[in-house]
Amino acid sequence: MTRRSLLATLGLTLILGGAIAAQQSTLGSLFERYDVKANFAQPPAGQAWGASTTSVAADGKGTVVIMVRAVPYFRVFTTDGAPVKTWGDAGLFNLAHSVHFAPDGSLWATDPNAHVVHKFSADGKLMLTLGKKGVAGDNASRDAFNQPNALGFAANGDVYVSDGYVNSRIVHFTADGKFVRIIGGTKGSAPGELQVPHGVAIDAQGRILVADSDNKRVSVFDKDGRFVKTIAAPSRGGIAAAADGTIYVSDVNAGAVTVIRNDQIADVIKVEGRPHGLSVDPATGDIYTSSTNAQNYNVTKVSLKKK
């Protein structure tokens, strides 16, 4: 067994498998590289989240948006956790599921129950909708989804939709919503097949990284949608790729974020609750996860320890 394989095995055993009781109850990383702060942000005094904190997005300019499955759907905070504003009226979503910042600063959100993806301006104006509200598409459809659950963006603004709760694919569009291609599209566990894709990110090489959740792996495709490889990691959560090539993927069942460098597991971070949503601040490298734990809705902030 190689050193990297041994590291991966030990990391998953200790933190994800729960072989050591202390790791089960302590927030932190395998190699103690990170500070982990649960309950990063709280609603203003006298208010409550009101529902699951399903997703989180950091724009790299001092803003963190938390998506809640109750009106107002969008709760905006500073990176210090101070509340700024809220928006998103009743009727905007059938089910608020995930929120993401695009490179141009626009905010995108998925609504799996309505089969659509929305684009909003920074001030909350609806600018574009992909998909057809209330209409389910199959794996070959170019203009309809079946319960889309997440989004990823290329540096040029191209949009990648994880259409994975019923279908098994990623759908690639230009920044203005023109169809480009379908990645995957076959349900299964063979190389290139996907089983409940739950997130998508584009790395610095232009590779398409898919949180292939039921297969407990990250499936990697090249920029043209051709299958390249898989990376073993629990992935029923969110996925993000930093400019330095580091990949972060969360998992609700493990309660952890797996850190991947050079396509090998480099660290594992234990976070609070069920980290359904994940975002990495492009300026600071801070990691945010949102928990859908019904007993303790919260957002966790993870930062590299200062040397």
Side-chain angles (χ1 to χ4, degrees):
M1 179 179 287
T2 67
R3 180 180 179 277
R4 286 177 176 172
S5 297
L6 179 61
L7 171 61
T9 301
L10 287 174
L12 293 177
T13 299
L14 292 178
I15 290 186
L16 305 188
I20 296 179
Q23 290 289 352
Q24 293 180 331
S25 59
T26 302
L27 304 185
S29 65
L30 181 63
F31 298 113
E32 300 184 352
R33 294 180 177 132
Y34 294 90
D35 289 318
V36 182
K37 178 185 178 182
N39 298 315
F40 150 73
Q42 292 297 310
Q47 299 182 22
W49 288 122
S52 170
T53 52
T54 183
S55 190
V56 60
D59 69 352
K61 299 177 181 178
T63 296
V64 179
V65 176
I66 297 171
M67 173 175 271
V68 180
R69 285 181 174 162
V71 173
Y73 296 110
F74 299 94
R75 321 285 174 92
V76 183
F77 295 83
T78 68
T79 53
D80 293 325
V84 176
K85 64 179 180 179
T86 62
W87 60 276
D89 295 333
L92 186 58
F93 294 101
N94 286 12
L95 181 70
H97 189 269
S98 71
V99 62
H100 314 263
F101 276 107
D104 65 358
S106 59
L107 204 63
W108 292 68
T110 61
D111 185 342
N113 285 11
H115 307 301
V116 294
V117 170
H118 296 306
K119 175 185 179 181
F120 300 94
S121 65
D123 59 1
K125 179 182 178 181
L126 181 61
M127 302 175 67
L128 177 69
T129 296
L130 299 179
K132 300 175 180 179
K133 188 172 184 178
V135 176
D138 60 19
N139 271 316
S141 177
R142 297 185 171 199
D143 60 0
F145 309 115
N146 199 333
Q147 299 190 26
N149 53 32
L151 296 157
F153 302 91
N156 67 354
D158 278 10
V159 183
Y160 294 77
V161 178
S162 174
D163 188 26
Y165 277 144
V166 177
N167 290 332
S168 300
R169 63 183 187 157
I170 305 299
V171 190
H172 178 188
F173 298 89
T174 62
D176 58 357
K178 293 183 175 62
F179 172 84
V180 178
R181 63 171 57 89
I182 293 168
I183 298 101
T186 300
K187 183 173 289 189
S189 58
E193 296 178 347
L194 302 173
Q195 188 82 14
V196 191
H198 199 264
V200 58
I202 312 304
D203 71 7
Q205 303 173 53
R207 299 186 306 174
I208 303 159
L209 312 171
V210 183
D212 189 4
S213 70
D214 271 15
N215 287 323
K216 298 180 175 61
R217 66 192 185 189
V218 175
S219 287
V220 182
F221 300 82
D222 69 16
K223 62 182 179 62
D224 297 314
R226 293 184 292 261
F227 174 74
V228 176
K229 66 190 301 184
T230 60
I231 304 168
S235 56
R236 189 59 172 258
I239 187 168
D244 67 358
T246 304
I247 302 166
Y248 304 84
V249 58
S250 66
D251 185 83
V252 297
N253 299 310
V257 175
T258 302
V259 182
I260 299 168
R261 296 190 181 96
N262 299 317
D263 294 349
Q264 302 289 331
I265 294 176
D267 210 337
V268 182
I269 307 167
K270 183 72 176 69
V271 297
E272 182 66 31
R274 303 178 75 255
H276 181 267
L278 175 145
S279 180
V280 177
D281 189 305
T284 65
D286 292 336
I287 306 160
Y288 296 87
T289 59
S290 58
S291 171
T292 54
N293 186 330
Q295 284 70 48
N296 183 22
Y297 301 139
N298 69 81
V299 172
T300 297
K301 181 178 181 178
V302 179
S303 304
L304 275 171
K305 290 180 181 289
K306 295 180 179 180
K307 296 181 180 179

